[in-house]
Amino acid sequence: MSSPGSTSSTEQYVVRAVRAEEWPAAKALRLVALQDPVAHLAFLETYDGAMARPDSFWQERTAAASVGSAGGARQFIVEGPDGEWVGSVTVLVEEAGTTDWAGFPVERRQGHVVGVYVRPEHRGCGLTELLFDEALQWAWDIDVERVRLIVHEDNGRALRFYRRIGFLPSGVSVPLTAGSAESELEYVLERP
């Protein structure tokens, strides 16, 4: 498969977990993602806010989601044939009996997909599916009961993709900020 404007097939890409020392590349890709035209719908962070964070933030964030970390997260990236990072997804583990970032109780051990991004010039050739295959396999391997994600109702491209790969609406709406009338929708994928 080839993406528009690219002659690379998915076989030339590598999907893998990040390594702690790769924090500069993780930071760089996040900053690119935050400049995407739908970033305001897809991420709860702004480019300016991310730029203001110290390197120690990026080091800790990457280490906590890296291969071999004991933390409850894993970040996966797609590396292009030239070594450039062209996409990323992170799975956070939410334990039963805790509360999530929005203050909702977590009723069972679950994965929470965040930070989904593929560079526009690499979209449409199956890389997002490869990222999700790797991320979901990791989640199932560590015995989560389901995986969820939160998506803005106006993010049509993301909604279509999530539905296509099996995520279904749970009926839960999550306010974007405390007291906000604007909310996002939770989609879930139950353990196979």
Side-chain angles (χ1 to χ4, degrees):
M1 297 177 166
S2 294
S3 67
S6 172
T7 58
S8 301
S9 72
T10 57
E11 291 84 35
Q12 296 174 308
Y13 293 85
V14 174
V15 178
R16 63 175 178 80
V18 298
R19 295 183 290 270
E21 66 274 10
E22 296 177 311
W23 68 268
K27 175 184 176 181
L29 185 61
R30 178 66 172 186
L31 292 174
V32 168
L34 291 171
Q35 295 175 74
D36 190 273
V38 297
H40 67 287
L41 297 177
F43 305 113
L44 297 177
E45 179 178 38
T46 65
Y47 177 81
D48 290 339
M51 280 293 295
R53 294 188 184 275
D55 286 348
S56 60
F57 168 84
W58 298 102
Q59 292 165 351
E60 292 167 16
R61 178 178 171 152
T62 306
S66 66
V67 67
S69 71
R74 185 73 74 232
Q75 181 180 5
F76 297 92
I77 56 101
V78 176
E79 193 172 30
D82 59 359
E84 178 187 40
W85 287 15
V86 300
S88 178
V89 64
T90 300
V91 180
L92 309 174
V93 177
E94 298 172 329
E95 297 293 347
T98 64
T99 57
D100 68 10
W101 63 272
F104 288 95
V106 177
E107 296 176 2
R108 46 192 175 148
R109 189 167 200 257
Q110 62 191 13
H112 184 159
V113 173
V114 298
V116 179
Y117 179 73
V118 172
R119 292 178 187 263
E121 64 272 22
H122 295 276
R123 293 178 186 159
C125 68
L127 293 178
T128 310
E129 288 88 343
L130 293 176
L131 269 172
F132 267 78
D133 287 349
E134 194 74 20
L136 292 172
Q137 188 58 57
W138 178 78
W140 304 141
D141 287 350
I142 62 165
D143 295 323
V144 301
E145 294 181 41
R146 71 178 193 159
V147 174
R148 73 179 189 139
L149 51 85
I150 310 295
V151 62
H152 195 284
E153 63 187 315
D154 293 337
N155 193 346
R157 182 182 71 219
L159 281 169
R160 285 187 298 278
F161 172 76
Y162 299 143
R163 286 182 183 133
R164 186 168 49 80
I165 65 169
F167 282 83
L168 299 172
S170 70
V172 172
S173 292
V174 180
L176 289 177
T177 58
S180 171
E182 192 175 10
S183 63
E184 295 189 321
L185 307 172
E186 178 187 66
Y187 278 67
V188 298
L189 180 65
E190 298 292 333
R191 184 177 184 84

PDB file of all heavy atoms in Angstrom, residues 26-27 29-31 33-36 38-54 57-58 61 115 176-177 184:
ATOM      1  N   ALA A  26      10.296  12.049  20.819  1.00  0.00           N
ATOM      2  CA  ALA A  26       8.916  12.033  21.310  1.00  0.00           C
ATOM      3  C   ALA A  26       8.390  13.461  21.447  1.00  0.00           C
ATOM      4  O   ALA A  26       7.257  13.759  21.057  1.00  0.00           O
ATOM      5  CB  ALA A  26       8.839  11.284  22.642  1.00  0.00           C
ATOM      6  N   LYS A  27       9.201  14.336  21.969  1.00  0.00           N
ATOM      7  CA  LYS A  27       8.828  15.742  22.098  1.00  0.00           C
ATOM      8  C   LYS A  27       8.586  16.360  20.723  1.00  0.00           C
ATOM      9  O   LYS A  27       7.569  17.029  20.506  1.00  0.00           O
ATOM     10  CB  LYS A  27       9.928  16.509  22.832  1.00  0.00           C
ATOM     11  CG  LYS A  27       9.698  17.996  22.904  1.00  0.00           C
ATOM     12  CD  LYS A  27      10.879  18.712  23.558  1.00  0.00           C
ATOM     13  CE  LYS A  27      10.696  20.220  23.546  1.00  0.00           C
ATOM     14  NZ  LYS A  27      11.848  20.917  24.153  1.00  0.00           N
ATOM     15  N   LEU A  29       7.775  14.972  17.825  1.00  0.00           N
ATOM     16  CA  LEU A  29       6.568  14.477  17.177  1.00  0.00           C
ATOM     17  C   LEU A  29       5.316  15.050  17.841  1.00  0.00           C
ATOM     18  O   LEU A  29       4.353  15.409  17.166  1.00  0.00           O
ATOM     19  CB  LEU A  29       6.522  12.949  17.167  1.00  0.00           C
ATOM     20  CG  LEU A  29       5.353  12.345  16.390  1.00  0.00           C
ATOM     21  CD1 LEU A  29       5.396  12.749  14.913  1.00  0.00           C
ATOM     22  CD2 LEU A  29       5.354  10.823  16.529  1.00  0.00           C
ATOM     23  N   ARG A  30       5.315  15.173  19.154  1.00  0.00           N
ATOM     24  CA  ARG A  30       4.168  15.752  19.855  1.00  0.00           C
ATOM     25  C   ARG A  30       3.959  17.202  19.422  1.00  0.00           C
ATOM     26  O   ARG A  30       2.822  17.634  19.197  1.00  0.00           O
ATOM     27  CB  ARG A  30       4.368  15.658  21.365  1.00  0.00           C
ATOM     28  CG  ARG A  30       3.253  16.265  22.180  1.00  0.00           C
ATOM     29  CD  ARG A  30       1.958  15.510  22.008  1.00  0.00           C
ATOM     30  NE  ARG A  30       0.969  16.008  22.964  1.00  0.00           N
ATOM     31  CZ  ARG A  30      -0.210  15.481  23.137  1.00  0.00           C
ATOM     32  NH1 ARG A  30      -0.579  14.422  22.447  1.00  0.00           N
ATOM     33  NH2 ARG A  30      -1.041  15.981  24.006  1.00  0.00           N
ATOM     34  N   LEU A  31       5.035  17.947  19.274  1.00  0.00           N
ATOM     35  CA  LEU A  31       4.910  19.340  18.852  1.00  0.00           C
ATOM     36  C   LEU A  31       4.363  19.438  17.433  1.00  0.00           C
ATOM     37  O   LEU A  31       3.551  20.321  17.137  1.00  0.00           O
ATOM     38  CB  LEU A  31       6.251  20.057  18.976  1.00  0.00           C
ATOM     39  CG  LEU A  31       6.742  20.249  20.416  1.00  0.00           C
ATOM     40  CD1 LEU A  31       8.148  20.840  20.431  1.00  0.00           C
ATOM     41  CD2 LEU A  31       5.780  21.101  21.233  1.00  0.00           C
ATOM     42  N   ALA A  33       2.333  17.187  16.105  1.00  0.00           N
ATOM     43  CA  ALA A  33       0.925  16.797  16.246  1.00  0.00           C
ATOM     44  C   ALA A  33       0.073  17.962  16.734  1.00  0.00           C
ATOM     45  O   ALA A  33      -1.056  18.150  16.268  1.00  0.00           O
ATOM     46  CB  ALA A  33       0.801  15.613  17.203  1.00  0.00           C
ATOM     47  N   LEU A  34       0.604  18.753  17.633  1.00  0.00           N
ATOM     48  CA  LEU A  34      -0.152  19.866  18.202  1.00  0.00           C
ATOM     49  C   LEU A  34      -0.339  21.021  17.225  1.00  0.00           C
ATOM     50  O   LEU A  34      -1.074  21.965  17.511  1.00  0.00           O
ATOM     51  CB  LEU A  34       0.507  20.351  19.495  1.00  0.00           C
ATOM     52  CG  LEU A  34       0.416  19.363  20.652  1.00  0.00           C
ATOM     53  CD1 LEU A  34       1.279  19.815  21.820  1.00  0.00           C
ATOM     54  CD2 LEU A  34      -1.031  19.157  21.090  1.00  0.00           C
ATOM     55  N   GLN A  35       0.296  20.920  16.060  1.00  0.00           N
ATOM     56  CA  GLN A  35       0.109  21.920  15.010  1.00  0.00           C
ATOM     57  C   GLN A  35      -0.842  21.435  13.916  1.00  0.00           C
ATOM     58  O   GLN A  35      -1.118  22.152  12.962  1.00  0.00           O
ATOM     59  CB  GLN A  35       1.465  22.293  14.407  1.00  0.00           C
ATOM     60  CG  GLN A  35       2.379  22.981  15.410  1.00  0.00           C
ATOM     61  CD  GLN A  35       3.741  23.236  14.832  1.00  0.00           C
ATOM     62  OE1 GLN A  35       3.916  24.124  14.009  1.00  0.00           O
ATOM     63  NE2 GLN A  35       4.709  22.437  15.248  1.00  0.00           N
ATOM     64  N   ASP A  36      -1.347  20.216  14.046  1.00  0.00           N
ATOM     65  CA  ASP A  36      -2.296  19.673  13.082  1.00  0.00           C
ATOM     66  C   ASP A  36      -3.577  20.513  13.099  1.00  0.00           C
ATOM     67  O   ASP A  36      -3.975  21.012  14.159  1.00  0.00           O
ATOM     68  CB  ASP A  36      -2.614  18.215  13.449  1.00  0.00           C
ATOM     69  CG  ASP A  36      -3.400  17.499  12.381  1.00  0.00           C
ATOM     70  OD1 ASP A  36      -4.648  17.584  12.411  1.00  0.00           O
ATOM     71  OD2 ASP A  36      -2.778  16.860  11.524  1.00  0.00           O
ATOM     72  N   VAL A  38      -6.606  19.740  13.227  1.00  0.00           N
ATOM     73  CA  VAL A  38      -7.637  19.280  14.167  1.00  0.00           C
ATOM     74  C   VAL A  38      -7.087  19.068  15.577  1.00  0.00           C
ATOM     75  O   VAL A  38      -7.747  18.458  16.415  1.00  0.00           O
ATOM     76  CB  VAL A  38      -8.363  18.006  13.672  1.00  0.00           C
ATOM     77  CG1 VAL A  38      -9.108  18.259  12.378  1.00  0.00           C
ATOM     78  CG2 VAL A  38      -7.417  16.841  13.566  1.00  0.00           C
ATOM     79  N   ALA A  39      -5.910  19.586  15.861  1.00  0.00           N
ATOM     80  CA  ALA A  39      -5.307  19.410  17.189  1.00  0.00           C
ATOM     81  C   ALA A  39      -6.224  19.920  18.299  1.00  0.00           C
ATOM     82  O   ALA A  39      -6.299  19.317  19.376  1.00  0.00           O
ATOM     83  CB  ALA A  39      -3.948  20.102  17.260  1.00  0.00           C
ATOM     84  N   HIS A  40      -6.937  21.002  18.045  1.00  0.00           N
ATOM     85  CA  HIS A  40      -7.837  21.549  19.064  1.00  0.00           C
ATOM     86  C   HIS A  40      -8.976  20.587  19.406  1.00  0.00           C
ATOM     87  O   HIS A  40      -9.546  20.653  20.489  1.00  0.00           O
ATOM     88  CB  HIS A  40      -8.389  22.907  18.619  1.00  0.00           C
ATOM     89  CG  HIS A  40      -9.307  22.827  17.445  1.00  0.00           C
ATOM     90  ND1 HIS A  40      -8.854  22.584  16.160  1.00  0.00           N
ATOM     91  CD2 HIS A  40     -10.658  22.919  17.360  1.00  0.00           C
ATOM     92  CE1 HIS A  40      -9.889  22.544  15.338  1.00  0.00           C
ATOM     93  NE2 HIS A  40     -10.990  22.746  16.030  1.00  0.00           N
ATOM     94  N   LEU A  41      -9.273  19.666  18.495  1.00  0.00           N
ATOM     95  CA  LEU A  41     -10.294  18.645  18.744  1.00  0.00           C
ATOM     96  C   LEU A  41      -9.691  17.357  19.288  1.00  0.00           C
ATOM     97  O   LEU A  41     -10.379  16.581  19.956  1.00  0.00           O
ATOM     98  CB  LEU A  41     -11.041  18.307  17.451  1.00  0.00           C
ATOM     99  CG  LEU A  41     -11.844  19.414  16.788  1.00  0.00           C
ATOM    100  CD1 LEU A  41     -12.437  18.901  15.482  1.00  0.00           C
ATOM    101  CD2 LEU A  41     -12.928  19.935  17.709  1.00  0.00           C
ATOM    102  N   ALA A  42      -8.434  17.112  18.975  1.00  0.00           N
ATOM    103  CA  ALA A  42      -7.838  15.809  19.262  1.00  0.00           C
ATOM    104  C   ALA A  42      -7.016  15.761  20.547  1.00  0.00           C
ATOM    105  O   ALA A  42      -6.835  14.693  21.122  1.00  0.00           O
ATOM    106  CB  ALA A  42      -6.964  15.372  18.089  1.00  0.00           C
ATOM    107  N   PHE A  43      -6.512  16.894  20.992  1.00  0.00           N
ATOM    108  CA  PHE A  43      -5.594  16.890  22.137  1.00  0.00           C
ATOM    109  C   PHE A  43      -6.055  17.883  23.195  1.00  0.00           C
ATOM    110  O   PHE A  43      -6.605  18.926  22.876  1.00  0.00           O
ATOM    111  CB  PHE A  43      -4.170  17.240  21.684  1.00  0.00           C
ATOM    112  CG  PHE A  43      -3.661  16.343  20.584  1.00  0.00           C
ATOM    113  CD1 PHE A  43      -3.435  16.851  19.315  1.00  0.00           C
ATOM    114  CD2 PHE A  43      -3.428  15.000  20.816  1.00  0.00           C
ATOM    115  CE1 PHE A  43      -2.969  16.035  18.297  1.00  0.00           C
ATOM    116  CE2 PHE A  43      -2.969  14.170  19.801  1.00  0.00           C
ATOM    117  CZ  PHE A  43      -2.740  14.685  18.537  1.00  0.00           C
ATOM    118  N   LEU A  44      -5.801  17.562  24.442  1.00  0.00           N
ATOM    119  CA  LEU A  44      -6.160  18.442  25.547  1.00  0.00           C
ATOM    120  C   LEU A  44      -4.992  19.345  25.928  1.00  0.00           C
ATOM    121  O   LEU A  44      -4.894  19.793  27.064  1.00  0.00           O
ATOM    122  CB  LEU A  44      -6.592  17.607  26.768  1.00  0.00           C
ATOM    123  CG  LEU A  44      -7.830  16.747  26.575  1.00  0.00           C
ATOM    124  CD1 LEU A  44      -8.104  15.910  27.816  1.00  0.00           C
ATOM    125  CD2 LEU A  44      -9.038  17.621  26.233  1.00  0.00           C
ATOM    126  N   GLU A  45      -4.135  19.609  24.981  1.00  0.00           N
ATOM    127  CA  GLU A  45      -2.933  20.395  25.210  1.00  0.00           C
ATOM    128  C   GLU A  45      -2.732  21.288  23.996  1.00  0.00           C
ATOM    129  O   GLU A  45      -3.104  20.924  22.889  1.00  0.00           O
ATOM    130  CB  GLU A  45      -1.750  19.424  25.374  1.00  0.00           C
ATOM    131  CG  GLU A  45      -0.418  20.054  25.598  1.00  0.00           C
ATOM    132  CD  GLU A  45       0.680  19.010  25.805  1.00  0.00           C
ATOM    133  OE1 GLU A  45       0.663  17.958  25.150  1.00  0.00           O
ATOM    134  OE2 GLU A  45       1.557  19.285  26.627  1.00  0.00           O
ATOM    135  N   THR A  46      -2.133  22.433  24.202  1.00  0.00           N
ATOM    136  CA  THR A  46      -1.847  23.329  23.087  1.00  0.00           C
ATOM    137  C   THR A  46      -0.363  23.289  22.756  1.00  0.00           C
ATOM    138  O   THR A  46       0.471  22.890  23.587  1.00  0.00           O
ATOM    139  CB  THR A  46      -2.222  24.782  23.415  1.00  0.00           C
ATOM    140  OG1 THR A  46      -1.371  25.247  24.480  1.00  0.00           O
ATOM    141  CG2 THR A  46      -3.687  24.902  23.801  1.00  0.00           C
ATOM    142  N   TYR A  47      -0.049  23.726  21.559  1.00  0.00           N
ATOM    143  CA  TYR A  47       1.347  23.815  21.133  1.00  0.00           C
ATOM    144  C   TYR A  47       2.132  24.723  22.076  1.00  0.00           C
ATOM    145  O   TYR A  47       3.219  24.351  22.534  1.00  0.00           O
ATOM    146  CB  TYR A  47       1.409  24.330  19.692  1.00  0.00           C
ATOM    147  CG  TYR A  47       2.819  24.533  19.198  1.00  0.00           C
ATOM    148  CD1 TYR A  47       3.571  23.457  18.729  1.00  0.00           C
ATOM    149  CD2 TYR A  47       3.399  25.797  19.205  1.00  0.00           C
ATOM    150  CE1 TYR A  47       4.865  23.633  18.275  1.00  0.00           C
ATOM    151  CE2 TYR A  47       4.699  25.979  18.757  1.00  0.00           C
ATOM    152  CZ  TYR A  47       5.419  24.897  18.297  1.00  0.00           C
ATOM    153  OH  TYR A  47       6.710  25.071  17.859  1.00  0.00           O
ATOM    154  N   ASP A  48       1.590  25.895  22.386  1.00  0.00           N
ATOM    155  CA  ASP A  48       2.295  26.836  23.262  1.00  0.00           C
ATOM    156  C   ASP A  48       2.533  26.236  24.645  1.00  0.00           C
ATOM    157  O   ASP A  48       3.613  26.403  25.223  1.00  0.00           O
ATOM    158  CB  ASP A  48       1.528  28.157  23.372  1.00  0.00           C
ATOM    159  CG  ASP A  48       1.556  28.949  22.074  1.00  0.00           C
ATOM    160  OD1 ASP A  48       2.452  28.721  21.232  1.00  0.00           O
ATOM    161  OD2 ASP A  48       0.658  29.807  21.902  1.00  0.00           O
ATOM    162  N   GLY A  49       1.536  25.541  25.165  1.00  0.00           N
ATOM    163  CA  GLY A  49       1.692  24.899  26.465  1.00  0.00           C
ATOM    164  C   GLY A  49       2.770  23.830  26.450  1.00  0.00           C
ATOM    165  O   GLY A  49       3.578  23.726  27.372  1.00  0.00           O
ATOM    166  N   ALA A  50       2.802  23.043  25.391  1.00  0.00           N
ATOM    167  CA  ALA A  50       3.814  21.993  25.273  1.00  0.00           C
ATOM    168  C   ALA A  50       5.212  22.584  25.102  1.00  0.00           C
ATOM    169  O   ALA A  50       6.189  22.078  25.662  1.00  0.00           O
ATOM    170  CB  ALA A  50       3.479  21.068  24.112  1.00  0.00           C
ATOM    171  N   MET A  51       5.307  23.639  24.324  1.00  0.00           N
ATOM    172  CA  MET A  51       6.604  24.291  24.115  1.00  0.00           C
ATOM    173  C   MET A  51       7.176  24.845  25.417  1.00  0.00           C
ATOM    174  O   MET A  51       8.397  24.893  25.594  1.00  0.00           O
ATOM    175  CB  MET A  51       6.475  25.434  23.097  1.00  0.00           C
ATOM    176  CG  MET A  51       6.467  24.994  21.658  1.00  0.00           C
ATOM    177  SD  MET A  51       8.049  24.293  21.125  1.00  0.00           S
ATOM    178  CE  MET A  51       9.121  25.718  21.247  1.00  0.00           C
ATOM    179  N   ALA A  52       6.307  25.251  26.324  1.00  0.00           N
ATOM    180  CA  ALA A  52       6.748  25.852  27.580  1.00  0.00           C
ATOM    181  C   ALA A  52       7.241  24.817  28.595  1.00  0.00           C
ATOM    182  O   ALA A  52       7.858  25.178  29.594  1.00  0.00           O
ATOM    183  CB  ALA A  52       5.602  26.664  28.185  1.00  0.00           C
ATOM    184  N   ARG A  53       6.993  23.547  28.325  1.00  0.00           N
ATOM    185  CA  ARG A  53       7.400  22.507  29.282  1.00  0.00           C
ATOM    186  C   ARG A  53       8.917  22.298  29.235  1.00  0.00           C
ATOM    187  O   ARG A  53       9.515  22.284  28.164  1.00  0.00           O
ATOM    188  CB  ARG A  53       6.689  21.196  28.971  1.00  0.00           C
ATOM    189  CG  ARG A  53       5.178  21.284  29.183  1.00  0.00           C
ATOM    190  CD  ARG A  53       4.562  19.916  29.061  1.00  0.00           C
ATOM    191  NE  ARG A  53       3.132  19.933  29.160  1.00  0.00           N
ATOM    192  CZ  ARG A  53       2.450  19.908  30.306  1.00  0.00           C
ATOM    193  NH1 ARG A  53       3.085  19.875  31.448  1.00  0.00           N
ATOM    194  NH2 ARG A  53       1.130  19.899  30.299  1.00  0.00           N
ATOM    195  N   PRO A  54       9.522  22.075  30.391  1.00  0.00           N
ATOM    196  CA  PRO A  54      10.974  21.842  30.427  1.00  0.00           C
ATOM    197  C   PRO A  54      11.327  20.455  29.881  1.00  0.00           C
ATOM    198  O   PRO A  54      10.481  19.555  29.837  1.00  0.00           O
ATOM    199  CB  PRO A  54      11.309  21.947  31.913  1.00  0.00           C
ATOM    200  CG  PRO A  54      10.041  21.546  32.615  1.00  0.00           C
ATOM    201  CD  PRO A  54       8.920  22.045  31.728  1.00  0.00           C
ATOM    202  N   PHE A  57      10.254  17.357  31.820  1.00  0.00           N
ATOM    203  CA  PHE A  57       8.900  16.839  31.614  1.00  0.00           C
ATOM    204  C   PHE A  57       8.907  15.782  30.519  1.00  0.00           C
ATOM    205  O   PHE A  57       8.338  14.699  30.682  1.00  0.00           O
ATOM    206  CB  PHE A  57       7.939  17.983  31.242  1.00  0.00           C
ATOM    207  CG  PHE A  57       6.610  17.487  30.747  1.00  0.00           C
ATOM    208  CD1 PHE A  57       5.609  17.148  31.637  1.00  0.00           C
ATOM    209  CD2 PHE A  57       6.366  17.337  29.382  1.00  0.00           C
ATOM    210  CE1 PHE A  57       4.382  16.679  31.176  1.00  0.00           C
ATOM    211  CE2 PHE A  57       5.143  16.865  28.919  1.00  0.00           C
ATOM    212  CZ  PHE A  57       4.151  16.535  29.821  1.00  0.00           C
ATOM    213  N   TRP A  58       9.541  16.095  29.396  1.00  0.00           N
ATOM    214  CA  TRP A  58       9.570  15.173  28.253  1.00  0.00           C
ATOM    215  C   TRP A  58      10.382  13.927  28.578  1.00  0.00           C
ATOM    216  O   TRP A  58      10.019  12.822  28.161  1.00  0.00           O
ATOM    217  CB  TRP A  58      10.121  15.887  27.018  1.00  0.00           C
ATOM    218  CG  TRP A  58       9.248  17.034  26.640  1.00  0.00           C
ATOM    219  CD1 TRP A  58       9.476  18.368  26.895  1.00  0.00           C
ATOM    220  CD2 TRP A  58       7.981  16.975  25.994  1.00  0.00           C
ATOM    221  NE1 TRP A  58       8.423  19.124  26.436  1.00  0.00           N
ATOM    222  CE2 TRP A  58       7.494  18.295  25.875  1.00  0.00           C
ATOM    223  CE3 TRP A  58       7.202  15.933  25.495  1.00  0.00           C
ATOM    224  CZ2 TRP A  58       6.274  18.602  25.278  1.00  0.00           C
ATOM    225  CZ3 TRP A  58       5.985  16.226  24.905  1.00  0.00           C
ATOM    226  CH2 TRP A  58       5.534  17.553  24.801  1.00  0.00           C
ATOM    227  N   ARG A  61       8.091  11.844  30.931  1.00  0.00           N
ATOM    228  CA  ARG A  61       6.938  11.336  30.190  1.00  0.00           C
ATOM    229  C   ARG A  61       7.344  10.170  29.290  1.00  0.00           C
ATOM    230  O   ARG A  61       6.662   9.148  29.240  1.00  0.00           O
ATOM    231  CB  ARG A  61       6.335  12.478  29.371  1.00  0.00           C
ATOM    232  CG  ARG A  61       5.163  12.095  28.520  1.00  0.00           C
ATOM    233  CD  ARG A  61       4.647  13.337  27.815  1.00  0.00           C
ATOM    234  NE  ARG A  61       3.661  13.028  26.813  1.00  0.00           N
ATOM    235  CZ  ARG A  61       2.702  13.858  26.440  1.00  0.00           C
ATOM    236  NH1 ARG A  61       2.602  15.050  26.982  1.00  0.00           N
ATOM    237  NH2 ARG A  61       1.851  13.511  25.512  1.00  0.00           N
ATOM    238  N   GLY A 115      -3.206  10.421  22.526  1.00  0.00           N
ATOM    239  CA  GLY A 115      -2.093  10.891  21.702  1.00  0.00           C
ATOM    240  C   GLY A 115      -1.991  10.252  20.333  1.00  0.00           C
ATOM    241  O   GLY A 115      -0.884  10.074  19.824  1.00  0.00           O
ATOM    242  N   LEU A 176     -14.900  18.493  28.587  1.00  0.00           N
ATOM    243  CA  LEU A 176     -13.527  18.843  28.226  1.00  0.00           C
ATOM    244  C   LEU A 176     -12.774  19.460  29.395  1.00  0.00           C
ATOM    245  O   LEU A 176     -11.592  19.185  29.592  1.00  0.00           O
ATOM    246  CB  LEU A 176     -13.502  19.794  27.033  1.00  0.00           C
ATOM    247  CG  LEU A 176     -13.884  19.162  25.706  1.00  0.00           C
ATOM    248  CD1 LEU A 176     -13.888  20.201  24.599  1.00  0.00           C
ATOM    249  CD2 LEU A 176     -12.945  18.031  25.357  1.00  0.00           C
ATOM    250  N   THR A 177     -13.440  20.304  30.153  1.00  0.00           N
ATOM    251  CA  THR A 177     -12.863  20.892  31.358  1.00  0.00           C
ATOM    252  C   THR A 177     -13.951  20.966  32.409  1.00  0.00           C
ATOM    253  O   THR A 177     -15.135  20.893  32.098  1.00  0.00           O
ATOM    254  CB  THR A 177     -12.306  22.315  31.090  1.00  0.00           C
ATOM    255  OG1 THR A 177     -13.361  23.125  30.588  1.00  0.00           O
ATOM    256  CG2 THR A 177     -11.150  22.293  30.098  1.00  0.00           C
ATOM    257  N   GLU A 184     -16.674  15.390  25.118  1.00  0.00           N
ATOM    258  CA  GLU A 184     -16.223  14.403  24.144  1.00  0.00           C
ATOM    259  C   GLU A 184     -16.911  13.088  24.462  1.00  0.00           C
ATOM    260  O   GLU A 184     -17.439  12.895  25.553  1.00  0.00           O
ATOM    261  CB  GLU A 184     -14.700  14.257  24.204  1.00  0.00           C
ATOM    262  CG  GLU A 184     -13.977  15.508  23.781  1.00  0.00           C
ATOM    263  CD  GLU A 184     -12.489  15.299  23.619  1.00  0.00           C
ATOM    264  OE1 GLU A 184     -11.877  14.578  24.412  1.00  0.00           O
ATOM    265  OE2 GLU A 184     -11.944  15.868  22.671  1.00  0.00           O
TER     266      GLU A 184
END
